[in-house]
Amino acid sequence: MMDQAEHLRNIIKQNTVRPTTVARIITITSGKGGVGKSNVAVNLAVKFQELGKKVLIFDADFGLANVEVMFGAVPKYNLSDIIYNGKSMSDVITYGANGIGFISAGSGIVSMRNIDNSQLSYLSHSLASLDYLADTILIDTGAGISDSVMEFVMAGTEILLVVTNEPTSLTDSYSLLKAMSLNPKYNKNDCRVKVIANKVTSVEEGELVYKKLESVVKQFLNVNMEFQGIIPYDINLVRAVREQNPVSIYMPNSISSKAFESLAKRLINEEEYMPEKTTRESISSILLRMFKKRSM
């Protein structure tokens, strides 16, 4: 009888074609919870799609499933089902509003330990298909500086840091940037940290929030940071969350929806000045490295 390892090897042999380009990966993170990080991820995904991008969200928050709550869609499977239950990548992807796909990966990553080489190869093969399905992948990390969060932050080269005009948000954001800068894998020239001021009342307040963080970062840390813009406080966004519907769909003409659209356009325009897609690290190699580390 064919064992699982042989079965996985046979599947890989049947289809060894790999994508010629890799998806752009944007890691969205925050120093603390409650600052609207997942709202940024979900609404950016909506706007990217409206602007013609093929987008996918990778929900990497181990503790909370905010993306699925905001979409009002409960995933049937996670990444572990690919290895242990014979599911395909298409089975693992759940589709929310406007057909935007997301992978709720937290519990899957936690449970996947002691994976053998055949399983790792099969997982790598499966993850490579994501580059066919999307040209932009948004990774929504957990909040804080836990090992799991920092694994994703250190894996990314394009980071959106969501902050609010609260002392705890600013101090925790500084702690995250400090942990990142002290990591031996950190390379200032390869990592772009883009700060988004969320829940502010004006552009001026958002710039002030950024300058507060920038002043201490410049003084004590060797981090390349830039201001990416604001998402204004909007009661319509609060209502949209209650309705489990992204505000960009629930109230497309609201001030927050317009701000997400502006942010998405800036990010798309910046892509022209980024390295060619072929030089990027793929989502499969990033995740595979994490799984290998957990299996050691």
Side-chain angles (χ1 to χ4, degrees), residues 65-78:
N66 286 334
V67 171
E68 63 186 71
V69 171
M70 290 179 184
F71 274 135
V74 180
K76 293 177 64 176
Y77 307 108
N78 58 49

Side-chain angles (χ1 to χ4, degrees), residues 162-180:
V162 182
V163 300
T164 62
N165 194 12
E166 301 172 2
T168 50
S169 174
L170 291 167
T171 55
D172 289 350
S173 294
Y174 175 81
S175 296
L176 186 148
L177 293 172
K178 181 179 179 180
M180 183 183 74

Side-chain angles (χ1 to χ4, degrees), residues 23-29 44 48 135-139 141 152-161 180 187 190-195 224 226 228 263-264 266-275 280 286:
R24 178 187 187 183
I25 299 171
I26 301 175
T27 304
I28 303 172
T29 193
L44 260 186
F48 272 132
D135 52 43
T136 305
I137 297 176
L138 305 179
I139 299 179
T141 78
F152 281 104
V153 170
M154 293 310 304
T157 57
E158 193 174 3
I159 298 168
L160 293 186
L161 176 62
M180 183 183 74
N187 185 329
D190 292 338
C191 182
R192 307 171 69 189
V193 178
K194 304 173 182 181
V195 177
N224 188 9
E226 62 189 70
Q228 191 67 26
L263 175 59
R266 284 196 297 275
L267 289 169
I268 290 173
N269 289 336
E270 288 175 3
E271 190 173 17
E272 296 180 16
Y273 304 100
M274 295 174 65
R280 298 175 185 161
I286 290 173

Side-chain angles (χ1 to χ4, degrees), residues 236-249:
N236 290 305
L237 191 149
V238 177
R239 292 168 179 160
V241 171
R242 291 173 183 165
E243 295 295 324
Q244 294 185 281
N245 196 6
V247 70
S248 296
I249 298 173

Side-chain angles (χ1 to χ4, degrees), residues 19 21-23 54 127-135 137 282-284:
T21 61
V22 297
K54 294 189 298 180
L127 289 168
S129 66
L130 294 177
D131 289 315
Y132 287 112
L133 299 173
D135 52 43
I137 297 176
S282 68
I283 187 69
S284 60

Side-chain angles (χ1 to χ4, degrees), residues 181-198:
S181 67
L182 294 176
N183 191 297
K185 296 180 181 178
Y186 174 69
N187 185 329
K188 177 181 178 180
N189 297 324
D190 292 338
C191 182
R192 307 171 69 189
V193 178
K194 304 173 182 181
V195 177
I196 299 172
N198 194 27

Side-chain angles (χ1 to χ4, degrees), residues 41-52:
V42 167
N43 284 285
L44 260 186
V46 173
K47 292 304 181 182
F48 272 132
Q49 185 188 68
E50 290 178 355
L51 293 168

Side-chain angles (χ1 to χ4, degrees), residues 218-235:
K218 275 189 173 181
Q219 187 173 357
F220 298 108
L221 304 180
N222 184 32
V223 173
N224 188 9
M225 193 172 72
E226 62 189 70
F227 184 49
Q228 191 67 26
I230 74 162
I231 305 297
Y233 174 80
D234 184 4
I235 190 63

